[in-house]
Amino acid sequence: MTDDANAPWLIVGLGNPGPEYAGNRHNIGFMVVDLLAGRIGGKFKRAQKAQAQVVEGRMGPPGPANRRVVLAKPMSYMNLSGGPVTALRDFYKVPTAHVVAVHDELDIDYGVLRLKLGGGDNGHNGLKSMTKAMGPDYHRVRCGIGRPPGRMQVADFVLKDFSSAERKDLDWFVDRAADAVECLVAEGLERAQSAYNS
């Protein structure tokens, strides 16, 4: 592997491909990396070596904190994310500790962010697939979506669009999650946690 300090970062938004899933709670990871791609002035294109769309660019302030990044959206469906992510990690020579998964999280209230390194998958099929493919030692930006109301099944809840009440704050939430990713890459996990973990 390359020298870790200068190694690129791989920022993976987890979601499902296709317009029918675009507004789903499960696709907040896609929403965040779409915003980050806009910020670095890139357009997603098909990856050469993986079933994914990617944008390459730089993130962070000018100087030593400016990092080479690859933004990625696996096109394999959520529960098969590990294959494309591992292929991208290997192709771009990214250390596993420089991989960041941005994903929805049921056990956190809507609008709340938590950042961490490593840990379990908490029943999240995208994380389960990534961990099976490359181990648990990657960063997570966990975007709270809350629990399903009443007796609604989890699968139905995550594959529904955000409610009209939630959509009022969605742009703000996605923007804040993108800020948290930028802070993590430029300034490290502790700084990002103290600024964004609510």
Side-chain angles (χ1 to χ4, degrees):
M1 281 295 171
T2 49
D3 170 32
D4 275 10
N6 298 314
W9 285 75
L10 175 61
I11 318 293
V12 181
L14 293 180
N16 287 307
E20 68 273 34
Y21 299 106
N24 289 179
R25 293 182 177 93
H26 223 18
N27 270 41
I28 194 164
F30 275 20
M31 297 173 196
V32 174
V33 294
D34 281 340
L35 179 61
L36 287 166
R39 287 184 181 183
I40 67 172
K43 284 206 182 337
F44 279 96
K45 61 184 193 310
R46 185 179 293 164
Q48 292 177 334
K49 301 287 184 185
Q51 193 181 356
Q53 291 186 347
V54 294
V55 171
E56 297 176 53
R58 299 197 78 84
M59 185 180 284
N66 191 261
R67 303 273 185 248
R68 197 155 70 84
V69 295
V70 180
L71 305 174
K73 296 191 289 190
M75 293 286 118
S76 57
Y77 291 99
M78 181 71 86
N79 58 351
L80 299 171
S81 301
V85 174
T86 306
L88 291 170
R89 179 199 66 174
D90 294 347
F91 179 70
Y92 288 104
K93 299 182 169 52
V94 176
T96 301
H98 278 206
V99 176
V100 182
V102 185
H103 63 92
D104 57 309
E105 178 64 67
L106 287 159
D107 286 340
I108 303 175
D109 289 340
Y110 176 70
V112 174
L113 287 175
R114 297 269 162 75
L115 288 82
K116 69 174 189 172
L117 174 63
D121 56 57
N122 215 12
H124 192 289
N125 288 332
L127 296 181
K128 201 176 288 181
S129 178
M130 283 181 61
T131 297
K132 188 175 173 192
M134 62 184 190
D137 300 325
Y138 53 91
H139 287 87
R140 298 101 193 274
V141 175
R142 304 156 74 206
C143 303
I145 59 169
R147 302 292 307 182
R151 294 170 178 236
M152 185 188 282
Q153 294 294 314
V154 165
D156 294 334
F157 179 68
V158 299
L159 293 175
K160 276 205 172 15
D161 286 2
F162 286 100
S163 69
S164 53
E166 288 169 335
R167 280 199 296 271
K168 290 189 178 114
D169 295 320
L170 186 58
D171 286 348
W172 170 85
F173 187 25
V174 169
D175 197 60
R176 186 169 160 78
D179 290 347
V181 170
E182 290 185 340
C183 183
L184 169 63
V185 168
E187 300 182 56
L189 180 61
E190 281 182 33
R191 175 80 188 86
Q193 284 175 324
S194 67
Y196 293 97
N197 276 17
S198 17

